[in-house]
Amino acid sequence: MTSKIPVTIITGFLGSGKTTLIRNLIQNANGRRLAVIVNEFGEMGIDGDLIKSCCSNEEDVLELNNGCLCCTVQEEFLPVMLQLMDRKDTIDHIIIETSGLALPKPLLHAFNWPDLKSQITVDAVVTVVDLVGQATGEICDRERVQAQREADDSLDHETPIEELFEDQLSCADLVVLTKKDLLEGLQFDEVTGIISSKLRPNVKMVTANNGDLSADVLLGVQAAAENDLESRHSHHEEDHANGLDHHHDDDIDSIVVTVTAPHTPESLVAALKEMVAEHEIYRIKGFIDIPNKPMRMVLQGVSHRFDHYFDRKWKEGEVRKTSLVFIGDELMEKDLSALLHEKLN
């Protein structure tokens, strides 16, 4: 009997550093033959493109731009996994990067389907946490929530985003804390204390700056998570058990904007920071075309924090343009393209 192929599910909120972690893992796989499934929220596959750029074989990266695997597990995830099983002799480990809005537990359930259970085991659910986002309240504004609860202790002010974050933590076998270098010591202790209170017993937390974490830490956990579903708390399942609908991303939109106004990375970031201050935008990411430069620039933004860097040369025949994905609350009601161009002109 052949051994099962291990799968690592990497989850975490928007902008936590999942793609950076996976890129580092691929570049330091120590001979492991990895296949990667990338799930994105939106029609523009930025994370998949970034991961492919560091792979020797782009066919080892499969993209699902359906928004959330947890909502389309049977329709889209199962066929992709069966596709990988057709060439399982060439794969040592499968990495799944969920979108930042995906619930991990519905995905875990899928590994108990007969078509998969005999061939695959979930080595670990790895939850990536942006420590700065936690410290500043970008994900869970603890001070606001606490003030509201003190004003009326009958209220439960947990937002869908907070519930999503708690589900991602409660499902974890390993937690990777990113951006520790941007926190002061006391902040780190406070934030890690809050995070650890939401974890199951004996779940380990490790830190990683710029995705630098040994493959030996990430892979080979041997949690067999598909056999341990009951211990993993889920708001999603509780709502269904109580006859409630749980639509965790109904109000969250993904919009692609192509920038045609003259811009530099600096002027673009300045305009985007203004937009973040004015609207509930969780994540901005995309590619920048700088005239007369052979290299493509990547732009990443979480709340008011932005960074940009060159990743590769523009390919021959590739359309050079600046395209950005905005992910946030009820963005479809706003003309983000017009707003951005107004700020750039």
Side-chain angles (χ1 to χ4, degrees):
M1 180 178 178
T2 58
S3 60
K4 295 183 179 182
I5 296 178
V7 176
T8 296
I9 299 172
I10 297 184
T11 187
F13 192 66
L14 300 161
S16 58
K18 299 184 296 295
T19 301
T20 303
L21 186 71
I22 293 172
R23 280 173 56 90
N24 181 77
L25 175 61
I26 292 170
Q27 292 167 337
N28 299 278
N30 299 326
R32 296 177 178 89
R33 298 171 299 173
L34 304 179
V36 183
I37 298 174
V38 183
N39 179 222
E40 295 198 64
F41 189 84
E43 61 189 54
M44 185 174 166
I46 295 171
D47 295 345
D49 195 314
L50 291 173
I51 290 173
K52 284 179 180 178
S53 69
C54 65
C55 282
S56 58
N57 183 6
E58 290 190 0
E59 292 182 359
D60 288 333
V61 182
L62 294 87
E63 297 179 79
L64 295 174
N65 296 329
N66 56 26
C68 287
L69 273 176
C70 60
C71 299
T72 58
V73 170
Q74 186 166 357
E75 296 85 353
E76 302 196 32
F77 173 67
L78 181 58
V80 169
M81 289 301 297
L82 293 178
Q83 180 182 337
L84 287 178
M85 291 304 94
D86 287 340
R87 58 184 188 90
K88 60 184 178 182
D89 292 341
T90 67
I91 299 170
D92 296 321
H93 205 113
I94 298 171
I95 309 297
I96 300 174
E97 178 188 357
T98 72
S99 83
L101 298 171
L103 296 159
K105 193 168 180 180
L107 183 57
L108 269 184
H109 277 289
F111 287 93
N112 283 312
W113 291 344
D115 288 339
L116 295 182
K117 191 170 181 62
S118 62
Q119 304 183 76
I120 296 175
T121 182
V122 180
D123 184 61
V125 176
V126 177
T127 299
V128 185
V129 179
D130 172 4
L131 286 170
V132 176
Q134 288 300 297
T136 60
E138 291 169 10
I139 298 175
C140 303
D141 190 341
R142 298 186 301 276
E143 291 183 3
R144 172 185 59 80
V145 171
Q146 185 59 32
Q148 290 174 323
R149 285 179 177 149
E150 289 175 358
D152 184 352
D153 58 14
S154 69
L155 296 178
D156 180 2
H157 290 286
E158 272 197 343
T159 67
I161 294 301
E162 289 171 282
E163 291 181 352
L164 167 64
F165 180 65
E166 288 185 356
D167 277 16
Q168 291 174 342
L169 285 177
S170 67
C171 211
D173 299 295
L174 174 70
V175 174
V176 177
L177 306 172
T178 63
K179 305 169 191 174
K180 178 186 176 183
D181 56 315
L182 302 178
L183 288 186
E184 297 179 358
L186 291 177
Q187 280 184 308
F188 177 76
D189 293 340
E190 177 190 1
V191 173
T192 53
I194 292 170
I195 292 169
S196 63
S197 70
K198 300 178 184 297
L199 301 176
R200 294 176 300 119
N202 302 317
V203 172
K204 185 178 180 181
M205 293 192 294
V206 298
T207 60
N209 288 327
N210 297 316
D212 186 10
L213 190 63
S214 168
D216 293 334
V217 174
L218 282 174
L219 309 182
V221 177
Q222 299 182 345
E226 73 277 12
N227 297 326
D228 180 33
L229 295 174
E230 294 304 316
S231 71
R232 300 166 195 259
H233 167 80
S234 171
H235 290 282
H236 175 84
E237 291 188 348
E238 288 177 0
D239 284 350
H240 280 295
N242 293 323
L244 301 174
D245 289 329
H246 186 97
H247 301 295
H248 58 278
D249 63 351
D250 276 1
D251 296 326
I252 299 177
D253 302 318
S254 170
I255 295 176
V256 178
V257 172
T258 299
V259 182
T260 56
H263 57 277
T264 63
E266 293 74 21
S267 67
L268 187 58
V269 167
L272 293 173
K273 285 185 176 180
E274 289 183 20
M275 295 179 69
V276 168
E278 297 165 359
H279 306 281
E280 194 165 347
I281 299 173
Y282 304 130
R283 183 82 163 110
I284 300 173
K285 55 185 177 179
F287 303 117
I288 304 175
D289 172 31
I290 301 179
N292 303 317
K293 293 285 187 180
M295 300 289 286
R296 183 182 72 174
M297 178 170 279
V298 178
L299 181 140
Q300 304 266 14
V302 182
S303 185
H304 63 281
R305 293 176 283 132
F306 286 84
D307 65 86
H308 46 79
Y309 57 90
F310 291 108
D311 76 319
R312 63 165 173 80
K313 287 185 177 182
W314 290 98
K315 297 177 182 178
E316 185 177 349
E318 187 175 13
V319 177
R320 296 180 53 141
K321 61 182 179 180
T322 296
S323 293
L324 304 174
V325 176
F326 292 75
I327 302 175
D329 188 62
E330 296 184 343
L331 298 184
M332 294 296 290
E333 299 177 4
K334 306 173 179 65
D335 191 341
L336 294 183
S337 180
L339 289 171
L340 178 55
H341 283 85
E342 180 182 334
K343 294 180 183 299
L344 288 172
N345 289 319

